[in-house]
Amino acid sequence: MTKRLPCPPAPGPLEAYAVLFDDLFGTPAQRRGFREFLAGLLLPRERHKTLTCLAGTEPVVGAQHAAVQRLQFFLSESTWDGEQINARRLQLLLADPATAPHDGGVLVIDDSGDRKDGGATAHVGKQYLGSVGKIDRGVVTVTTCWADERLCYPLHAVPYTPAHHFHAREE
């Protein structure tokens, strides 16, 4: 077996966490992308978590920056399995006594919706959107979280697909 090529380390103690996922990525570019994505999610930022923000660049003008393009490729084109990443993340949370589920916590199930115009985006349809309190065109995501009085962490997030997506369109 050939030795894995190194990638730039994640900042500070984040590297020790990122290393636990390395075997799930086949290339140094994927391992680097994962580290950059984690850092973007966890480092304090002034703006919402947009792609340019995750890469640490300015909105709009930074969209063509190499770091943004690299992160865009990692998230949308690179061949890695999100289910495997989530399974490993949950495995690590469940193994740690500080974050493992216990009788004093609860499983929270939530369905949130956001308005979305058009029909080109997957899972868009006329459906009840809790965020606006009525039926409208949008996307609904069902999430599960574990919570207790000390912490809360997401388990899964799955988009809800409206029934009309499963029926053939009449011509």
Side-chain angles (χ1 to χ4, degrees), residues 48-170:
H48 292 290
K49 302 300 182 183
T50 62
L51 191 59
T52 53
C53 174
L54 290 174
T57 65
E58 292 299 314
V60 183
V61 295
Q64 298 306 313
H65 190 277
V68 176
Q69 294 299 308
R70 196 171 44 243
L71 191 54
Q72 172 67 34
F73 183 84
F74 171 72
L75 292 172
S76 63
E77 304 296 328
S78 186
T79 56
W80 51 275
D81 187 342
E83 291 297 322
Q84 285 183 331
I85 302 300
N86 195 45
R88 176 70 51 85
R89 179 185 67 85
L90 293 175
Q91 177 186 24
L92 294 168
L93 284 167
L94 296 174
D96 186 337
T99 55
H102 54 81
D103 290 343
V106 295
L107 177 66
V108 179
I109 301 173
D110 181 43
D111 59 333
S112 343
D114 293 306
R115 283 189 176 133
K116 182 74 176 164
D117 290 330
T121 303
H123 312 289
V124 170
K126 196 168 184 178
Q127 52 193 326
Y128 180 79
L129 305 176
S131 63
V132 295
K134 64 179 186 173
I135 294 174
D136 204 346
R137 288 191 56 75
V139 176
V140 173
T141 301
V142 178
T143 59
T144 56
C145 297
W146 163 258
D148 66 21
E149 61 186 23
R150 300 172 297 121
L151 57 92
C152 176
Y153 58 82
L155 300 172
H156 296 92
V158 179
Y160 170 77
T161 305
H164 73 270
H165 282 278
F166 297 110
H167 303 292
R169 293 185 178 189
E170 295 179 23

Side-chain angles (χ1 to χ4, degrees), residues 28-44:
Q30 289 176 338
R31 292 191 299 278
R32 178 182 182 169
F34 182 68
R35 283 162 171 75
E36 291 173 352
F37 182 60
L38 282 177
L41 288 174
L42 298 174
L43 291 175

